[in-house]
Amino acid sequence: MGYTLAEKIIAEHLVEGEMVPGSEIGIRIDHTLTQDATGTMAWLEFEAMGIDRVRTERAISYVDHNMLQADFRNADDHRYLQTAAARYGAFFSRPGNGICHQVQSERFSIPGKTLLGADSHTPNSGGLGVLAIGSGGLDVAVAMGGGLFYTAMPSILGVRLTGALGPWVTAKDVILELLRRLSVKGGLGKIIEYFGPGLASLTVDQRTTICNMGAELGATTSIFPSDDQTRRYLAAQGRPEDWIPLSADPDATYAQVVEIDLAALEPLVAKPSMPDNVVPITEVAGQPVAQVCVGSCVNSSFEDLMTVAAILKGKQVHPSVSMTITPGSKQVFTMVAENGALADMIAAGVRVLEAACGPCLGIGQAPATGVASMRSMNRNFKGRSGTADDSVYLASPESCAAAALTGVITDPRTLGPPPIVAAPHAYPTNDTMMIAPLPPAEAAQVEILRGPNIKPVPIGKPMAATMSGRVLIKVGDNVTTDHILPAGASILPLRSNIPAISEFTFQRVDPDFVSRAKEWGGGLIVGGSNYGQGSSREHAALSPMYLGVRAVIAKSFARIHYANLINNGILPLTFDAPSDYDTLDLGDELVFADVRIALQKNEPITVDNRTKGLRYTFHPQFSDRELAYLLAGGLLNHTRGIGA
Ligand code: MIC
Ligand code: SF4
């Protein structure tokens, strides 16, 4: 039986395990990426492993998130990352070069390679046939050290595309349609692989848009074949030699197939405050918006900005709207500056931001109280914009531009014929903001510079013989890592300082969480389904660990957060019977008798609820590797032989 494209790439990189869905596999990683918000921890963890030089074909360290530099802390992090990259043989993408996923696609993505990134939107590069997976920083640090990446073998969901997109209907609408059908949990344990006759008309910029937001489905990754569109793009990027044709075998079979007729789609919108809250734009047309933001690692490409510029040209942004644009990279910025599109947008009243994440994670451009925003971004979790009661709609750049002109959500099809923007034949490839690795002898001489805000990585405690604690918080379904440990301009500068950032744990959900955790000497978290979805930030595991959280019991977990918990020695348990969730309350005292022995023997775990006089039994399916990390109190302890 033939392989799907994802299976082919996995088979080529498989070092441990078998490709049986659900069972653990260990794959070789060719390329890694880190960014500054997760990267300081990842690089500190890499340093803690005592390896002299990165061992992947390429490791790239980007600075694109914390660019506000309101004081010394961001700049200190940038300097640390630049010197660490120089010392250990990584590429360094300087602040201003662009958002990691956009730059990675432009300059580094090679079809058929594996890419592991300390950012949940790493699958963006799947648009070029890369098997690109997001993970916690520790997993990336291990990969940079030449170690394998372990994950449960996903099942492969095929999306068969037919037809071609109609006027004003975009790649964003394709992925919003999938979110509408499958929900933010729909991709859990899956790789989403696109195939079918509809592919041929989709450009690389459109494909990366679709793959980027596969993260919102909870998928392990998303992937497109490498075909003529990919060949043209790589040639236009001055990298024709990086192209190889790649696709699924003709007799490949998918675990599940979803059909999308591109011609039948219409412009869609994700309503506040979840990316799967999707409706046709006609359903919300007329809703006033006070803010429109085009940008982020999705929909900030050349094609996106050219389309927006063409819609705005010769017109004015509505007086009640504040509109921003963020070019995804220096390359995109240069192109729209040189061809005059930037001038058209500025003349229309657009506010131009630097090539960085910016408004996407609440670094600037927080909306006013009680107003709605429309953004071309990928996440609209409550409060992520920086305003606690925000109301963020997600839509295509075309729909964003339409709303910016009228001041209300507007079906772009009412604007007349759509602008035609062709993918360029040649992109400007000026890589001066990308510093190449130094040769080993020179690298060994580099001094790594740290600032006072950069604190050591906290280390977990080996699993106790018997564990007990009280329920510190009980949350519902689809709780995101933004809920567990928010981003935003005031908290992000603390990413290198876990003692300080842990003070913000669950801040927006329960402001008393931290004081309670301190008073009760740590404890446990009870979660609903898809606990920890969204970003890859390890801080959502490190901060609870620092506050003494020993276990999280949930109906189900998001993949990256689950791995981050285990990597940091926090026991993740899934309810056998979801109705057990209803019996647990804040303050309940739980005893995990002989938990260490149970883990050593890989036997069911029994937990007594002393407050309610109830007993729960859990049947976790940990791999030997996961058990070893849990017993040791995390991956770092395990690699140093502590707590075994
Ligand atoms: C995000 O989009 O939430 C982030 C910020 O890029 C995160 C990484 C982080 O928290 O630093 C992600 O997506 O993994
Ligand atoms: Fe940056 Fe937003 Fe993309 Fe995350 S989703 S990498 S914050 S632009």
Side-chain angles (χ1 to χ4, degrees):
M1 199 172 63
Y3 278 156
T4 67
L5 170 55
E7 286 168 340
K8 274 189 192 175
I9 303 178
I10 293 173
E12 262 176 34
H13 291 81
L14 189 71
V15 181
E16 283 179 26
E18 280 174 47
M19 291 176 20
V20 176
S23 76
E24 185 166 281
I25 52 168
I27 57 170
R28 195 166 35 78
I29 296 299
D30 301 321
H31 297 169
T32 58
L33 76 77
T34 53
Q35 43 86 341
D36 53 305
T38 53
T40 46
M41 273 301 137
W43 281 96
L44 289 167
E45 287 155 352
F46 179 80
E47 287 192 86
M49 290 172 188
I51 292 163
D52 201 50
R53 191 172 170 88
V54 294
R55 295 183 182 153
T56 44
E57 289 170 18
R58 276 176 195 166
I60 304 124
S61 173
Y62 290 90
V63 175
D64 55 359
H65 280 62
N66 291 324
M67 308 250 295
L68 192 58
Q69 295 176 229
D71 61 26
F72 65 92
R73 291 173 299 182
N74 291 167
D76 279 4
D77 283 355
H78 302 173
R79 188 180 56 178
Y80 165 71
L81 290 169
Q82 181 160 0
T83 52
R87 169 66 189 82
Y88 293 114
F91 284 86
F92 181 70
S93 178
R94 300 183 61 198
N97 198 35
I99 307 176
C100 54
H101 309 303
Q102 176 67 25
V103 177
Q104 185 75 20
S105 294
E106 293 169 357
R107 309 304 304 139
F108 286 119
S109 294
I110 300 181
K113 295 282 183 188
T114 52
L115 166 69
L116 191 71
D119 192 281
S120 63
H121 290 106
T122 303
N124 195 74
S125 287
L128 288 115
V130 179
L131 190 85
I133 303 177
S135 76
L138 204 41
D139 283 333
V140 176
V142 168
M144 291 195 298
L148 302 181
F149 172 65
Y150 294 94
T151 193
M153 175 69 197
S155 63
I156 317 292
L157 185 158
V159 177
R160 184 167 180 274
L161 301 174
T162 55
L165 294 169
W168 296 106
V169 185
T170 67
K172 184 72 150 205
D173 302 306
V174 177
I175 189 67
L176 288 176
E177 170 65 9
L178 272 177
L179 278 155
R180 188 184 72 75
R181 290 199 210 170
L182 304 177
S183 89
V184 290
K185 304 192 269 242
L188 283 179
K190 296 175 186 162
I191 291 179
I192 304 185
E193 181 168 320
Y194 293 85
F195 69 104
L199 286 178
S201 64
L202 295 177
T203 64
V204 165
D205 281 352
Q206 290 172 314
R207 295 173 181 192
T208 54
T209 299
I210 294 171
C211 289
N212 180 297
M213 285 188 68
E216 275 51 72
L217 291 161
T220 303
T221 190
S222 301
I223 191 163
F224 274 83
S226 171
D227 58 7
D228 270 359
Q229 290 277 6
T230 329
R231 186 180 50 72
R232 271 199 295 276
Y233 179 85
L234 288 173
Q237 286 288 355
R239 307 196 278 128
E241 69 286 358
D242 284 344
W243 183 75
I244 47 163
L246 272 182
S247 57
D249 289 331
D251 56 344
T253 51
Y254 295 92
Q256 184 191 346
V257 175
V258 169
E259 301 264 350
I260 295 187
D261 175 4
L262 298 173
L265 294 179
E266 57 182 321
L268 298 170
V269 169
K271 294 198 294 180
S273 293
M274 228 5 109
D276 61 359
N277 197 7
V278 174
V279 296
I281 198 164
T282 45
E283 212 170 280
V284 284
Q287 154 76 43
V289 291
Q291 181 187 56
V292 172
C293 301
V294 174
S296 86
C297 57
V298 70
N299 291 125
S300 60
S301 69
F302 174 76
E303 288 166 38
D304 292 318
L305 291 201
M306 287 305 292
T307 309
V308 169
I311 297 169
L312 298 183
K313 190 178 165 89
K315 306 199 172 87
Q316 278 303 304
V317 170
H318 192 273
S320 60
V321 174
S322 166
M323 179 177 189
T324 68
I325 57 121
T326 310
S329 65
K330 172 171 168 265
Q331 182 182 78
V332 173
F333 217 155
T334 307
M335 290 172 85
V336 294
E338 279 177 356
N339 70 14
L342 187 62
D344 293 337
M345 292 189 276
I346 294 170
V350 161
R351 301 168 65 181
V352 181
L353 306 179
E354 67 173 324
C357 299
C360 175
L361 76 166
I363 303 189
Q365 307 303 324
T369 310
V371 303
S373 306
M374 180 170 258
R375 297 177 166 209
S376 73
M377 302 173 175
N378 42 31
R379 292 185 171 146
N380 58 350
F381 306 144
K382 197 87 184 158
R384 182 172 158 102
S385 67
T387 298
D389 68 342
D390 64 11
S391 213
V392 177
Y393 292 77
L394 304 175
S396 68
E398 284 81 342
S399 299
C400 285
L405 290 176
T406 59
V408 295
I409 296 182
T410 300
D411 185 343
R413 291 170 296 188
T414 60
L415 297 185
I420 307 291
V421 175
H425 296 299
Y427 293 90
T429 53
N430 168 348
D431 288 329
T432 50
M433 298 281 275
M434 179 68 78
I435 303 176
L438 289 172
E442 248 177 88
Q445 304 305 315
V446 172
E447 185 196 352
I448 298 179
L449 301 174
R450 295 161 217 276
N453 184 48
I454 301 181
K455 303 285 187 229
V457 186
I459 304 288
K461 292 198 185 79
M463 186 64 70
T466 286
M467 188 168 83
S468 62
R470 296 173 72 185
V471 175
L472 288 165
I473 191 168
K474 180 178 177 181
V475 292
D477 293 345
N478 294 325
V479 160
T480 72
T481 49
D482 279 86
H483 291 102
I484 303 170
L485 206 275
S490 57
I491 305 177
L492 272 159
L494 300 170
R495 284 294 184 92
S496 319
N497 184 343
I498 299 297
I501 206 169
S502 65
E503 295 289 326
F504 296 89
T505 314
F506 282 115
Q507 191 204 37
R508 294 205 191 108
V509 180
D510 179 352
D512 299 327
F513 176 84
V514 173
S515 54
R516 195 181 303 125
K518 287 182 182 167
E519 198 185 317
W520 294 357
L524 318 151
I525 293 170
V526 174
S529 58
N530 200 23
Y531 178 78
Q533 69 152 329
S535 108
S536 67
R537 68 192 65 148
E538 233 176 335
H539 304 72
L542 280 165
S543 294
M545 185 260 269
Y546 184 78
L547 294 171
V549 171
R550 300 276 163 263
V552 181
I553 309 178
K555 289 185 188 167
S556 66
F557 291 86
R559 173 186 63 86
I560 305 178
H561 188 59
Y562 183 79
N564 285 343
L565 290 172
I566 293 178
N567 283 349
N568 290 291
I570 299 179
L571 181 64
L573 292 177
T574 309
F575 289 109
D576 270 11
S579 56
D580 286 346
Y581 168 90
D582 302 327
T583 67
L584 279 161
D585 287 298
L586 180 70
D588 283 3
E589 197 191 334
L590 305 189
V591 179
F592 297 60
D594 296 324
V595 62
R596 191 174 170 91
I597 290 185
L599 287 172
Q600 275 164 340
K601 295 189 180 160
N602 205 358
E603 284 177 351
I605 294 173
T606 309
V607 178
D608 287 310
N609 184 336
R610 288 270 165 89
T611 311
K612 304 264 173 62
L614 295 171
R615 171 168 285 195
Y616 316 102
T617 308
F618 298 91
H619 296 84
Q621 306 279 311
F622 296 125
S623 67
D624 291 347
R625 180 189 59 87
E626 291 171 327
L627 288 168
Y629 294 177
L630 287 168
L631 288 167
L635 192 161
L636 284 178
N637 277 350
H638 173 72
T639 51
R640 293 167 176 164
I642 297 169

